[in-house]
Amino acid sequence: MTAAHCDHTPPSPWVCRFAGHVPAGGTVLDVAAGGGRHAEYFLMRGHPVVAVDRDTSALVQLAARGKWTRGALEIITADLEAGPWPLAGRRFAGVVVTNYLHRALFPALVGAVVSGGVLIYETFAVGNERFGKPSNPNFLLRPGELKDVVRGQLDVIAYEEGEVDIPRPAVIQCIAAMRRS
Ligand SMILES: C[S@@+](CC[C@H](N)C(=O)[O-])C[C@H]1O[C@@H](n2cnc3c(N)ncnc32)[C@H](O)[C@@H]1O
């Protein structure tokens, strides 16, 4: 799925719920940012944002419409599944991932959370195949998987998994987890 194919839907309620845990003014990394709904949300909350995707056409359009401080949105075009992690050595007050899963990135995503910062992750989980795509197990989290990913590194603020009806019937898993200061 390309960024152009991602609906410009409102920000995820899960992301909104935990956005306040991101330290004020800290830079947020939006991974596989797509149309930039979360990049825009955090920009509007006064956070600088780094948005990365292999298809940044929608992000470039977002930047052109931007009402926020010049330079607050950094766009990085990168294939996250080929080549090195493009944010090596950088740390973020918030790391946001929604509707995207590439398991090899888990260490980099957790490692990118600064002390006192937050990982907010929400994507599809096993069982979603009953409702349609994604149905490939490579793109579906296993039960408890996000808790396993952060265990021993980040403190879980909240975790949920199960069926949802909105914005459409799906099985999802989500976590908000903080690196202790
Ligand atoms: C379903 S969209 C989700 C977009 C956004 N996170 C959201 O929830 O609105 C998946 C995004 O992952 C991006 N993506 C898929 N494979 C990628 C890769 N190998 N490297 C970088 N981005 C990728 C797509 O371009 C697309 O923007």
Side-chain angles (χ1 to χ4, degrees):
M1 189 184 289
T2 66
H5 290 103
C6 298
D7 293 338
H8 192 72
T9 50
S12 147
W14 184 261
V15 172
C16 297
R17 183 171 154 198
F18 295 101
H21 288 259
V22 178
T27 301
V28 172
L29 172 63
D30 187 1
V31 177
R37 60 184 176 139
H38 297 125
E40 183 170 28
Y41 178 73
F42 280 100
L43 284 160
M44 297 303 284
R45 291 176 64 92
H47 294 274
V49 171
V50 177
V52 58
D53 203 289
R54 68 180 171 192
D55 174 0
T56 49
S57 51
L59 293 168
V60 170
Q61 289 172 24
L62 177 69
R65 300 197 296 274
K67 310 174 199 75
W68 44 84
T69 311
R70 191 177 171 81
L73 174 60
E74 179 183 346
I75 298 170
I76 297 178
T77 307
D79 184 340
L80 294 165
E81 297 166 27
W85 172 239
L87 287 312
R90 295 182 68 176
R91 301 283 178 274
F92 299 90
V95 175
V96 176
V97 193
T98 58
N99 297 349
Y100 178 73
L101 177 62
H102 181 57
R103 289 183 166 88
L105 295 179
F106 284 154
L109 297 172
V110 172
V113 179
V114 76
S115 178
V118 185
L119 171 69
I120 305 174
Y121 204 137
E122 173 185 76
T123 196
F124 299 96
V126 167
N128 190 70
E129 60 276 16
R130 285 185 280 121
F131 298 110
K133 295 199 170 184
S135 55
N136 180 333
N138 290 337
F139 304 136
L140 300 175
L141 289 162
R142 296 182 285 268
E145 188 168 359
L146 287 176
K147 279 194 288 192
D148 293 340
V149 166
V150 305
R151 184 165 293 121
Q153 300 181 78
L154 307 181
D155 294 339
V156 176
I157 301 167
Y159 173 85
E160 290 181 9
E161 60 182 34
E163 278 186 39
V164 294
D165 292 323
I166 298 171
R168 63 178 173 82
V171 177
I172 63 167
Q173 189 176 127
C174 27
I175 199 165
M178 173 177 285
R179 187 179 299 286
R180 204 172 296 176
S181 307

